[in-house]
């Protein structure tokens, strides 16, 4: 039963982590972090992301313009770029590391401690990737709420609201965190037995050699 839980936890952990990493990469480039529509023209919607601002018109379609200056952006957008890149990189590294620690991968099966450490390291990398994805999304959401309820801004001025990318980013961050937790739980569980074949034979060869050497010494 413990081995079944270990296998299921590894499969669920790597699947959630992969899903979270893909969604975090998608969140990084989506231009729907914030949006608003004009009361005078409901057919026109404005969106803003980390890299560009877009206007969506029913007749013309979507037109986007990249931000020309990095230093000219607000602080939350500048730091969010760095953190999202860091999250994407850590997530990719976590997938590579934890992949070699899975029981279904027979490479290095006899080195149980190494595979366990790789699985734990992969879980830690997914945790870090999840946190670095949640921080920028939550920060931009916090600033958006503050600006929305800022009484010093005239009511006639349009207010930014939450975009779809923020919700995707939250889901991505929690998926990475949960996937990392499952991988670490699986690493601390009961390990699967060695597969029959050359791995088991390779493990018994040193013992046979040791016994043969002892027998030779006794004869001498």
């Amino acid at each position: 039963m413990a081995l079944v839980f270990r296998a299921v936890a590894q499969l669920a952990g790597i699947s959630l982590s992969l899903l979270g990493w893909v969604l975090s990469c998608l969140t990084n480039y989506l231009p729907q972090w914030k949006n608003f529509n004009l009361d005078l023209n409901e057919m026109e919607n404005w969106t803003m992301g980390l890299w560009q601002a877009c206007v969506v018109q029913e007749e013309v379609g979507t037109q986007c313009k990249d931000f020309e200056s990095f230093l000219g952006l607000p602080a939350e957008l500048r730091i969010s770029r760095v953190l999202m890149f860091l999250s994407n990189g850590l997530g990719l590294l976590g997938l590579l590391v934890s992949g070699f620690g899975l029981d279904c991968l027979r490479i290095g099966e006899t080195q149980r401690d190494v595979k366990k450490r790789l699985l734990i390291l992969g879980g830690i990398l997914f945790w870090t990737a999840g946190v670095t994805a949640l921080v920028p999304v939550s920060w931009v959401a916090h600033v958006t709420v503050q600006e929305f309820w800022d009484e010093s801004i005239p009511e006639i001025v349009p207010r930014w609201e939450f975009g779809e990318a923020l919700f995707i980013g939250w889901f991505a961050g929690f998926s990475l965190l949960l996937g990392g937790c499952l991988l670490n739980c699986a690493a601390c569980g009961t390990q699967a037995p060695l597969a029959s074949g050359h791995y088991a034979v390779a493990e018994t060869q040193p013992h046979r050699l040791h016994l043969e050497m002892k027998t030779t010494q006794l004869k001498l």
Side-chain angles (χ1 to χ4, degrees):
M1 188 67 182
L3 295 179
V4 174
F5 170 77
R6 177 183 173 88
V8 172
Q10 286 188 8
L11 179 60
I14 199 69
S15 299
L16 281 173
S17 301
L18 176 61
L19 176 63
W21 176 72
V22 171
L23 292 179
S24 68
C25 294
L26 184 63
T27 303
N28 189 10
Y29 294 101
L30 279 177
Q32 287 88 16
W33 282 59
K34 299 191 292 184
N35 58 33
F36 73 83
N37 60 337
L38 299 174
D39 294 335
L40 299 177
N41 187 5
E42 296 182 357
M43 299 299 179
E44 184 176 275
N45 295 324
W46 290 79
T47 64
M48 178 186 294
L50 300 180
W51 306 94
Q52 59 186 358
C54 300
V55 56
V56 183
Q57 296 176 331
E58 185 175 353
E59 298 179 355
V60 181
T62 303
Q63 294 180 331
C64 298
K65 182 180 180 182
D66 296 335
F67 297 128
E68 297 179 355
S69 174
F70 175 78
L71 297 178
L73 294 174
E76 67 272 12
L77 296 184
R78 294 199 307 268
I79 299 177
S80 293
R81 282 189 182 185
V82 178
L83 291 177
M84 289 304 298
F85 266 130
L86 183 61
S87 176
N88 298 158
L90 290 174
L92 179 59
L93 184 60
L95 287 172
L96 296 175
V97 171
S98 59
F100 287 103
L102 297 176
D103 292 340
C104 60
L105 188 66
R106 296 303 183 183
I107 298 177
E109 188 180 10
T110 57
Q111 299 177 343
R112 294 297 185 85
D113 291 338
V114 176
K115 290 178 73 71
K116 180 179 179 180
R117 291 171 185 172
L118 288 175
L119 208 60
I120 294 176
L121 178 59
I124 295 174
L125 289 172
F126 286 136
W127 283 349
T128 310
V131 172
T132 50
L134 290 173
V135 168
V137 172
S138 301
W139 189 5
V140 171
H142 174 69
V143 173
T144 303
V145 171
Q146 281 188 326
E147 293 177 349
F148 186 87
W149 297 109
D150 190 353
E151 297 180 355
S152 63
I153 300 177
E155 294 184 0
I156 194 174
V157 177
R159 310 294 178 96
W160 291 103
E161 298 185 18
F162 291 172
E164 294 83 357
L166 295 184
F167 299 99
I168 298 176
W170 277 318
F171 186 80
F174 286 118
S175 295
L176 288 168
L177 289 176
L178 182 57
C181 290
L182 289 174
L183 288 178
N184 280 302
C185 290
C188 298
T190 304
Q191 294 182 343
L194 284 172
S196 58
H198 66 279
Y199 292 107
V201 173
E203 191 177 64
T204 57
Q205 283 180 349
H207 298 287
R208 291 182 180 178
L209 182 61
H210 182 66
L211 291 175
E212 290 176 358
M213 291 178 63
K214 276 191 173 181
T215 305
T216 305
Q217 290 176 358
L218 290 175
K219 289 181 179 180
L220 293 175

